[in-house]
Amino acid sequence: MFNNKTGPKPVEDVFGAYLSSDAELTPINQYPIIPQNFIYQGFPKKILPLDKALQALQSKKDLSDTFICTYEKDKLFNRIRRYPKNYVEMLKRTAGIIGFDISIHSDMPLWKQKAFIGENLELTYFFGKQGIPVIPNIRYGTDETIDDFFSAIPLHSTIAIVTYGFIKFKYQKAEWLDCLEKIFQKLKPERLVVYGSLKGKLFSKFSEMTQIQIYKAWFAQDREERRNGN
């Protein structure tokens, strides 16, 4: 809204509408759709959590071959949620970002699940629009949220999932298998980035359906390096 002598004063954008104001929207909840040309069509060489990446970037370390993820505690990346503009130039010094991973739990009210889905997509869209390569992160809530979320992600593209800390019991493995079935059925990805682990005969059929690359979680990498004395 423009300000002039006769018209109303401009309204301050306190809700961050600028993040995805020009995006195409999904039909039901109007999530921003991630365009195919924003998406990195390959596999990252390295992946590093945002909190660790910001420390490295502030120390002038070279992360030009490293994708940044938010597979960490939500509070560690809350600052970028509040002030995304402040991190654009810094993140341009990396290879790209994995889409945001604000936690969505099945026991949340449905409106809250949808709000966090929208925020994850909106932040991913915003940084993609700045010319930073992105890989959409697949994070939805209960079954009611699936279809409209998937309509925000291009078919036949590169996508990412996190398994670290999620698959500890047999029933959780069954849930993840169901999740992967839906992902492959709906999105038919060309590449699947897995942060964590993806083991066992039950998962073998997915490697026949697309290219899969698995990245150890940073915590596991760090622990292994410490054990080896590096």
Side-chain angles (χ1 to χ4, degrees):
M1 185 181 295
F2 293 98
N3 188 18
N4 55 51
K5 293 182 180 179
T6 58
K9 292 182 179 180
V11 176
E12 184 179 357
D13 183 11
V14 296
F15 300 108
Y18 72 91
L19 292 169
S20 59
S21 59
D22 61 344
E24 292 187 34
L25 305 176
T26 62
I28 300 174
N29 296 299
Q30 298 191 314
Y31 300 137
I33 295 172
I34 309 301
Q36 186 74 259
N37 65 309
F38 285 11
I39 298 175
Y40 183 71
Q41 300 302 330
F43 284 111
K45 185 175 180 180
K46 302 175 184 176
I47 299 177
L48 190 65
L50 179 68
D51 187 58
K52 302 300 178 184
L54 292 179
Q55 294 175 29
L57 290 167
Q58 288 164 358
S59 301
K60 307 299 181 183
K61 291 185 178 179
D62 181 12
L63 295 185
S64 59
D65 63 351
T66 303
F67 261 71
I68 310 308
C69 71
T70 53
Y71 298 138
E72 55 190 348
K73 293 180 179 179
D74 292 11
K75 66 180 182 180
L76 294 177
F77 60 90
N78 194 47
R79 50 185 162 171
I80 199 171
R81 293 172 63 187
R82 296 180 64 189
Y83 306 107
K85 284 183 178 179
N86 294 353
Y87 295 90
V88 171
E89 293 307 314
M90 191 175 289
L91 290 175
K92 282 184 176 180
R93 292 161 49 197
T94 72
I97 63 171
I98 305 292
F100 280 72
D101 194 59
I102 300 167
S103 298
I104 301 166
H105 303 291
S106 59
D107 58 352
M108 285 177 171
L110 186 57
W111 71 267
K112 179 69 76 173
Q113 295 179 44
K114 292 180 177 181
F116 285 170
I117 289 170
E119 191 173 351
N120 280 332
L121 289 167
E122 184 174 59
L123 287 166
T124 303
Y125 179 91
F126 169 73
F127 285 106
K129 186 181 176 183
Q130 310 313 308
I132 300 170
V134 301
I135 296 176
N137 179 51
I138 305 304
R139 168 73 83 171
Y140 55 83
T142 51
D143 286 349
E144 297 94 325
T145 68
I146 292 174
D147 288 339
D148 204 43
F149 168 74
F150 279 139
S151 66
I153 310 296
L155 300 175
H156 309 294
S157 191
T158 309
I159 60 173
I161 62 170
V162 59
T163 63
Y164 182 71
F166 284 84
I167 303 177
K168 296 180 180 179
F169 305 103
K170 287 185 177 180
Y171 79 90
Q172 291 173 322
K173 182 176 286 189
E175 289 176 353
W176 265 106
L177 282 170
D178 181 62
C179 173
L180 285 173
E181 291 277 8
K182 290 171 181 173
I183 289 170
F184 277 85
Q185 180 183 8
K186 297 283 187 178
L187 298 179
K188 301 175 175 61
E190 292 288 330
R191 300 168 203 87
L192 177 64
V193 171
V194 179
Y195 186 82
S197 63
L198 194 64
K199 300 177 181 178
K201 295 180 180 179
L202 292 173
F203 294 112
S204 61
K205 68 175 181 178
F206 297 107
S207 62
E208 299 172 1
M209 299 168 68
T210 192
Q211 302 175 67
I212 298 176
Q213 193 153 317
I214 299 170
Y215 300 78
K216 288 183 179 179
W218 179 87
F219 179 83
Q221 292 181 49
D222 184 61
R223 182 174 56 191
E224 185 175 300
E225 289 175 2
R226 289 175 185 273
R227 187 185 300 126
N228 296 331
N230 296 331

